[in-house]
Amino acid sequence: MNERIPEAGIDERRERFEAAPKEANGLSLDGAKVVKDASTSQLYEHAIRLDEGLLAASGALAVDTGVYTGRSPQDKFVVRNAGSEGVDWGAVNQPLEQAAFDRLLADMQAHLVGRELFVQDLFAGADQRYRLGARIVTEYAWHSLFARNLFITPAQIGSAWTADRTVKPDWVVLDLPSFRADPERHGCASSTIIAVDFERRLVLVGNTEYAGEIKKSIFGVLNLDLPRRSVFPMHCSANEDEHGNTALFFGLSGTGKTTLSADAQRRLIGDDEHGWSDDGIFNFEGGCYAKVVDLSKESEPEIYAASQRFGTVLENVKLDPVTRRVDYTDTSKTENTRAAYPLKFMPNASPDAVGSHPTDVVFLTADAFGVLPPISRLSVEQAMYHFLSGYTAKVAGTERGVTEPAATFSACFGAPFMPLPPSSYAAMLGERLRRHGSRAWLVNTGWTGGACGVGSRIKLGVTRSLVRAALAGKIDDAPLKVDPHFGLAFPTAVPGVDAAVLDPRGTWADKAAYDDAADKLVAMFRENFRSLDTVSLAEVKAAGPS
């Protein structure tokens, strides 16, 4: 393929090499061959030339992420210096000494000499007052395309998000999958590393091909920077109705955050990361990163169509070796198959990716025990409690070593990305819920009629109907029943939904077994809450299960 590239294309790349940045935030690219701000088509050509992926029959680029099919949180470290003041040190935010980071940076710079690198200058944050510039430097062309899809390009700024197109790199991310860290020399846990220096504003990623590390590193950066500017950063999706009424959907991977926000009846603001300022909410990103396991045109038509387009990156999705047609049911590699595509691929995408103060805040949990109601109305204190708890079932493939659903707690529905103590984010949530009168809901997208392996997963159509009813105000005056185990008030009647599914205990054949399972989950909630920094939130603790 190299020999068939037109001479004009080679000349253009030479010009890009000469104009490429040489240093930013302490990272030097001297000695590397840099391809700067390549277009989607050019990155396709590079990826195929470098044997990084295959062209699917649909036009999407199909890639394999190697050993890592999910994030590697145990390999993430934060440099302990003046820039990381206030960080909640521990298993989530593991400290790294400045000297170890400096050695890592020097070794990675030596490693990139002579290599071809791809640089994209992009934005994070649809609201220009809080937007940051991100320079993404990658060894793989498809990683550069991934970043181009997930963040906001200068072209988007110049059209829908009208503002200055010039990207001034506030942060730099260097991603080198071929670099293997040395735990003894670099102070890390393995040959894989994700190291963040808030003072130098630099992220170093090595020995992982999973592109999600790039996306989540910038999210983690915003989660420390924005609270300092009175903005609440959130791991949530968002959409709005035709009147501008906005809803937020919090949840970990696999709980339905992307799916439920991609509602044909509402405009999509974003599918994963947002900020809540004094003026409303705004998307951090310019794209979507959807799970596509068992994806079908019938169940999720908007996401299905977006995943079939030229420009989309398909991660670990299997192709027929001859026809190159996609098989979304093949999970032989992982269940964490993904599609990364620009927000504009969604037919109902918001043109400016901002919204008003939310009328509704929805917490999604895939309850593996099958004991939580399909939907519950929460008080402000209960909302803070469940936000702090972040209970769900970790879906197979989302992280290394997880092969089947397992109960887990992740504070703020995104603990791996939260540098500050969880109570800091919970306080911001509570203050905004009270100030704006937002309704709060807990929605179980997990199991009913029994625990995982006995009961069945709640049907997507049922969950959609419940969420639509809640957002439309059709549950506000519904009769409520309070669950004795969790103290959750759930409706006993919702238009268009079989009342039999609303009471979780009633769906179990063995009521005593339900009570036992509920008691076990209550104990898990209480044990988890004791480990959180919630000394000043006694009223929130009292709102939890008893």
Side-chain angles (χ1 to χ4, degrees):
M1 182 171 286
N2 281 328
E3 297 175 355
R4 297 181 63 83
I5 296 176
E7 187 61 33
I10 294 175
D11 288 342
E12 181 180 355
R13 285 201 307 282
R14 286 194 185 120
E15 292 175 5
R16 288 185 182 276
F17 291 156
E18 293 169 0
K22 295 301 180 184
E23 184 171 348
N25 297 33
L27 173 67
S28 172
L29 301 182
D30 281 342
K33 298 179 179 180
V34 178
V35 179
K36 179 72 164 58
D37 292 327
S39 67
T40 296
S41 297
Q42 290 170 324
L43 290 171
Y44 261 61
E45 292 172 354
H46 286 298
I48 293 172
R49 169 177 64 87
L50 296 169
D51 197 27
E52 294 177 359
L54 298 173
L55 183 63
S58 63
L61 180 67
V63 300
D64 188 304
T65 65
V67 174
Y68 292 82
T69 59
R71 293 178 294 100
S72 188
Q74 68 274 17
D75 293 311
K76 177 191 168 188
F77 294 83
V78 177
V79 179
R80 194 195 295 268
N81 56 27
S84 57
E85 182 179 357
V87 165
D88 185 25
W89 301 109
V92 171
N93 299 296
Q94 302 177 89
L96 183 69
E97 296 307 312
Q98 186 70 64
F101 183 89
D102 292 344
R103 289 191 294 271
L104 176 67
L105 174 59
D107 292 347
M108 291 186 83
Q109 287 192 156
H111 185 80
L112 62 80
V113 172
R115 297 179 185 275
E116 186 174 17
L117 299 179
F118 300 88
V119 176
Q120 293 281 333
D121 280 347
L122 304 162
F123 293 104
D127 188 327
Q128 68 182 84
R129 291 167 299 177
Y130 307 109
R131 177 182 300 142
L132 63 81
R135 173 164 292 166
I136 311 298
V137 183
T138 64
E139 185 177 6
Y140 289 179
W142 81 260
H143 280 177
S144 192
L145 177 58
F146 174 91
R148 185 178 175 84
N149 283 351
L150 266 296
F151 296 111
I152 300 170
T153 67
Q156 288 172 303
I157 291 294
S159 54
W161 279 292
T162 58
D164 183 7
R165 294 180 181 216
T166 306
V167 181
K168 301 176 180 64
D170 300 299
W171 276 81
V172 175
V173 178
L174 173 64
D175 189 290
L176 297 177
S178 66
F179 178 85
R180 294 176 61 84
D182 180 345
E184 185 173 346
R185 176 172 171 76
H186 302 129
C188 49
S190 73
S191 58
T192 299
I193 189 163
I194 303 96
V196 184
D197 186 337
F198 279 97
E199 188 169 45
R200 194 172 280 163
R201 303 175 80 81
L202 179 63
V203 179
L204 303 177
V205 182
N207 194 43
T208 172
E209 299 177 52
Y210 186 65
E213 300 288 9
I214 299 171
K215 162 188 159 73
K216 291 303 185 185
S217 67
I218 292 297
F219 183 41
V221 162
L222 290 166
N223 287 337
L224 182 62
D225 281 356
L226 289 180
R228 294 169 173 171
R229 305 172 68 187
S230 300
V231 175
F232 175 29
M234 306 172 293
H235 184 213
C236 70
S237 58
N239 63 24
E240 62 183 357
D241 65 15
E242 59 184 352
H243 305 295
N245 296 315
T246 302
L248 304 180
F249 299 84
F250 287 84
L252 299 178
S253 176
T255 57
K257 196 166 74 276
T258 297
T259 298
L260 290 170
S261 59
D263 187 334
Q265 298 180 11
R266 298 171 67 88
R267 285 189 295 270
L268 177 66
I269 297 173
D271 85 323
D272 197 43
E273 301 164 5
H274 293 79
W276 191 346
S277 72
D278 288 340
D279 296 309
I281 67 162
F282 61 95
N283 193 356
F284 290 165
E285 301 179 307
C288 301
Y289 193 33
K291 289 198 72 172
V292 293
V293 59
D294 294 327
L295 181 67
S296 70
K297 186 176 182 180
E298 293 71 30
S299 64
E300 301 175 74
E302 293 82 16
I303 296 175
Y304 181 86
S307 73
Q308 298 288 307
R309 293 184 57 169
F310 176 83
T312 293
V313 176
L314 296 176
E315 288 184 351
N316 301 315
V317 174
K318 294 295 182 178
L319 303 183
D320 182 283
V322 177
T323 67
R324 299 288 174 87
R325 294 188 182 279
V326 175
D327 182 0
Y328 292 115
T329 66
D330 189 334
T331 59
S332 57
K333 171 73 175 181
T334 177
E335 290 192 15
N336 192 34
T337 52
R338 296 272 183 168
Y341 48 84
L343 189 63
K344 65 182 180 182
F345 281 13
M346 299 297 284
N348 59 336
S350 165
D352 54 8
V354 300
S356 60
H357 296 292
T359 58
D360 294 89
V361 175
V362 181
F363 301 118
L364 302 171
T365 176
D367 173 29
F369 288 88
V371 294
L372 292 179
I375 189 166
S376 307
R377 180 72 183 267
L378 304 177
S379 67
V380 172
E381 291 76 20
Q382 285 178 318
M384 294 172 70
Y385 183 94
H386 285 279
F387 177 69
L388 281 165
S389 299
Y391 166 68
T392 191
K394 195 172 290 182
V395 179
T398 304
E399 291 184 8
R400 295 172 61 207
V402 180
T403 58
E404 60 184 20
T408 188
F409 293 87
S410 184
C412 311
F413 290 98
F417 326 120
M418 304 298 175
L420 298 174
S423 58
S424 300
Y425 302 106
M428 287 186 277
L429 170 69
E431 185 276 329
R432 282 159 176 76
L433 290 177
R434 292 189 179 95
R435 192 199 320 175
H436 303 292
S438 309
R439 294 172 295 202
W441 309 90
L442 180 66
V443 173
N444 176 19
T445 63
W447 283 260
T448 185
C452 173
V454 177
S456 59
R457 194 80 187 255
I458 297 173
K459 295 185 182 302
L460 175 59
V462 171
T463 302
R464 277 200 187 281
S465 296
L466 291 172
V467 170
R468 286 172 176 170
L471 302 188
K474 295 180 179 179
I475 304 181
D476 289 353
D477 298 321
L480 299 175
K481 181 177 179 180
V482 177
D483 175 90
H485 297 279
F486 300 96
L488 297 170
F490 60 89
T492 57
V494 175
V497 177
D498 183 358
V501 306
L502 298 176
D503 186 340
R505 191 173 189 271
T507 66
W508 282 55
D510 186 340
K511 302 300 188 285
Y514 168 86
D515 291 332
D516 287 343
D519 287 340
K520 290 178 182 178
L521 183 55
V522 167
M524 292 177 66
F525 265 101
R526 293 171 64 82
E527 179 64 27
N528 172 73
F529 207 79
R530 277 194 287 269
S531 68
L532 299 174
D533 173 26
T534 56
V535 175
S536 61
L537 299 173
E539 75 283 3
V540 175
K541 182 178 180 180
S546 61

